[in-house]
Amino acid sequence: MSILLHLIILLPILGAFAILLGAPARATSVGVAVFNLLGVLAIVCGYDQGASGFQFTSSIPVVADWDLKYFIGVDGLGLTMLLLTAIVTLAAIWLTPKVDKNEGQFYACLLFVAGGAFGAFASLDLFFFYAFHELALIPTFLLIGIWGTGERQAIAWKITIYLAVGSFILLIGLIGLYHLAPPDQRTFDIVKLQSLAAQKLLSTQHANSVYLFLLAGFGILISLFPFHSWAPQAYASAPTPLAMLHAGVLKKFGLYGLLRVALPLLPEPAKHWANLLLILLAGNIIYVGLATIGQKRLDLTLGYSSVMHMGYIFLGLAAMNTIGLNGAALLMFAHGLSIAALFALTGHIRQQTGGTLAYSELGGLARVAPFLGLTFGFATFASIGLPGFANFASEVMVFFGAYGSQPAGHCPYSYKVATVLALWGVVISAVYMLRAYRAVFMGETGKRWAGFQDIVPSLRWPVMMLLGVLLVAGFFPQLFLNLLAHSVTAFLSVPK
């Protein structure tokens, strides 16, 4: 299985180079995406849920003096994120419309983004964990700047500057984490760092500062308030496949990093800065949620919505208990699928309307495109947390975990206040998503859209796949919680 894991990571990158050298772009990309999804499913079937620790590990030494190596493996959390990446990648590539210019470069960029995500989620070495994420940033800039819409070049520079600053701050934090270990035990190996943390050898006087750098770096990449303004415009301008991949998958890198690196290795600093995180996540939920209500375009509504929902996941992480962390991990998976489905359907609307996504110009599309209206309705219900979808199950766990968490610092009611605000966020999200659905799909169909075409049958199955997995995880969340169980236990087993 470790060989299969190597292939899953490297095949998108090799496929991208093959396309740049002349291989058929779409056929190669679809083939890579199908292979990776089947490969991840094979690893899921072969994964021993009763065993703790990482499985299917493999390492290749790179710099012995620094204990730097190409080290990969998966636990339940990593495997869940690989499954999310594989599903969204296949859907995004399959739903890619005809590319008018530089088709090969377009698909190569998509595969580089996917390869970076696969590599980051499977890496057990801090250097490669960071490097794989950086691999995805350059094609993100190119995809928006060349194939995006609106003020694409200005927005491409904005997202690049924001993410570059976040990556630089994160790099400082990772270097600081490396230097927290005793000089003779310094390593980039995440497994060895976990062992050092269990022995409290990372609990130095600089640990609080290192955690703050990690929180700020990961936070910017996640669009944590107030460093969120890059995300809505970027998703609104990005080509549909990139919006699906970035909002659905790549943004989860920062959340995954907090779960994999910051929280388990530095639990005491995480508690020290918990109140700060609670304040910032409240900004994501309330401030950004209210800003979302004021949007007048569907793409911007979805962009702001994606930022807002990060606040719920942060709340689960801040809870630092079993139910909260399980909820956060499952919500990462659920949000990735639901936002990818929403951007996929919005991309079809943009294509059919010639780029028009303003609420004032749309309406009544459900009459001429019933499949589009039905599936967008399902994705809307998933986004606002309707029972039956994975979003509902995960948000309930986040709320219970946060409300029952131990008070942080000198604010005995901080978690309870944050949970109550988050519950108001559910109302806010219902308002803006149902408003968006009414504006786009309900009412009379304008003469302008009389020729609007529904999604053709050959493009329907990727959307149904995304929604189907959401329903399976919603009705049977234990399937995923069993997969996550030992990962969350490991996060909480470090002595506090």
Side-chain angles (χ1 to χ4, degrees):
M1 286 294 182
S2 60
I3 295 176
L4 182 58
L5 189 57
H6 279 293
L7 286 175
I8 289 171
I9 297 169
L10 298 177
L11 197 59
I13 300 172
L14 296 176
F17 281 116
I19 290 172
L20 294 176
L21 292 174
R26 183 172 178 84
T28 301
S29 300
V30 170
V32 169
V34 170
F35 176 89
N36 273 18
L37 178 56
L38 295 176
V40 172
L41 290 175
I43 292 177
V44 171
C45 293
Y47 183 80
D48 183 1
Q49 296 185 14
S52 58
F54 295 96
Q55 300 179 34
F56 315 128
T57 57
S58 176
S59 65
I60 301 173
V62 178
V63 181
D65 291 343
W66 295 352
D67 196 24
L68 172 64
K69 51 185 174 291
Y70 176 67
F71 184 23
I72 62 171
V74 292
D75 62 355
L77 175 64
L79 194 50
T80 300
M81 299 312 298
L82 287 179
L83 181 60
L84 170 66
T85 306
I87 293 172
V88 175
T89 298
L90 177 56
I93 290 175
W94 192 274
L95 290 170
T96 299
K98 179 176 174 56
V99 182
D100 294 329
K101 58 180 179 180
N102 303 320
E103 181 184 47
Q105 290 88 329
F106 182 92
Y107 279 100
C109 287
L110 287 181
L111 287 181
F112 277 126
V113 173
F118 280 115
F121 293 138
S123 290
L124 298 180
D125 182 277
L126 289 179
F127 176 83
F128 284 96
F129 167 76
Y130 179 85
F132 273 114
H133 176 261
E134 296 307 293
L135 173 66
L137 294 187
I138 295 177
T140 297
F141 167 78
L142 295 175
L143 283 165
I144 295 177
I146 299 174
W147 293 280
T149 60
E151 298 179 359
R152 62 183 189 278
Q153 294 184 357
I155 293 172
W157 280 111
K158 181 177 181 178
I159 184 177
T160 301
I161 292 171
Y162 261 93
L163 297 184
V165 170
S167 295
F168 181 71
I169 294 173
L170 173 60
L171 180 61
I172 295 174
L174 293 176
I175 293 173
L177 182 62
Y178 174 83
H179 284 280
L180 285 181
D184 60 337
Q185 299 185 61
R186 287 174 180 166
T187 179
F188 289 98
D189 187 324
I190 293 176
V191 178
K192 291 182 180 179
L193 287 170
Q194 288 177 347
S195 176
L196 294 175
Q199 302 172 56
K200 294 192 173 182
L201 295 178
L202 301 181
S203 302
T204 71
Q205 59 180 340
H206 302 295
N208 285 346
S209 299
V210 170
Y211 179 84
L212 188 60
F213 273 103
L214 293 175
L215 178 61
F218 284 128
I220 293 173
L221 300 179
I222 304 164
S223 64
L224 176 64
F225 177 86
F227 311 107
H228 66 280
S229 62
W230 63 267
Q233 293 179 338
Y235 298 147
S237 296
T240 297
L242 177 63
M244 294 173 65
L245 277 170
H246 202 287
V249 176
L250 201 59
K251 185 187 281 191
K252 308 304 182 291
F253 166 81
L255 297 164
Y256 176 82
L258 289 173
L259 265 172
R260 172 68 70 218
V261 177
L263 296 182
L265 299 184
L266 302 172
E268 285 300 327
K271 285 195 169 186
H272 177 80
W273 294 109
N275 282 329
L276 172 63
L277 180 56
L278 291 175
I279 293 171
L280 297 181
L281 69 86
N284 273 80
I285 295 173
I286 301 300
Y287 177 83
V288 178
L290 293 174
T292 310
I293 292 178
Q295 299 308 308
K296 299 179 180 180
R297 290 176 53 90
L298 180 58
D299 51 358
L300 286 174
T301 295
L302 297 182
Y304 276 94
S305 169
S306 177
V307 174
M308 183 226 183
H309 279 86
M310 294 302 99
Y312 297 120
I313 304 176
F314 276 117
L315 182 61
L317 299 182
M320 286 291 286
N321 54 34
T322 301
I323 188 171
L325 291 175
N326 269 319
L330 183 58
L331 186 52
M332 287 164 60
F333 182 78
H335 176 267
L337 295 174
S338 60
I339 197 64
L342 286 167
F343 274 120
L345 297 169
T346 300
H348 179 76
I349 298 173
R350 187 198 300 272
Q351 185 181 14
Q352 290 295 310
T353 61
T356 300
L357 291 174
Y359 295 144
S360 60
E361 299 181 46
L362 297 174
L365 296 186
R367 293 176 180 269
V368 293
F371 179 84
L372 175 65
L374 177 65
T375 50
F376 200 99
F378 272 96
T380 296
F381 292 148
S383 179
I384 62 180
L386 192 75
F389 292 95
N391 309 62
F392 170 79
S394 52
E395 287 177 11
V396 167
M397 286 190 287
V398 165
F399 295 148
F400 277 106
Y403 195 83
S405 185
Q406 294 297 318
H410 302 289
C411 301
Y413 301 106
S414 56
Y415 280 99
K416 290 179 172 56
V417 171
T419 305
V420 171
L421 290 175
L423 287 170
W424 275 106
V426 174
V427 178
I428 293 173
S429 64
V431 170
Y432 64 67
M433 286 306 300
L434 293 177
R435 169 179 172 266
Y437 189 85
R438 182 189 65 183
V440 176
F441 293 98
M442 306 302 288
E444 294 296 325
T445 307
K447 295 181 180 179
R448 184 179 177 185
W449 312 125
F452 190 100
Q453 297 181 0
D454 205 351
I455 301 176
V456 298
S458 62
L459 297 180
R460 293 181 180 183
W461 71 263
V463 178
M464 296 173 66
M465 174 180 65
L466 296 171
L467 297 177
V469 176
L470 277 172
L471 286 168
V472 170
F475 280 102
F476 308 101
Q478 204 62 38
L479 292 174
F480 293 86
L481 296 178
N482 289 339
L483 196 63
L484 293 165
H486 284 291
S487 300
V488 173
T489 302
F491 299 153
L492 298 175
S493 64
V494 178
K496 309 292 193 297

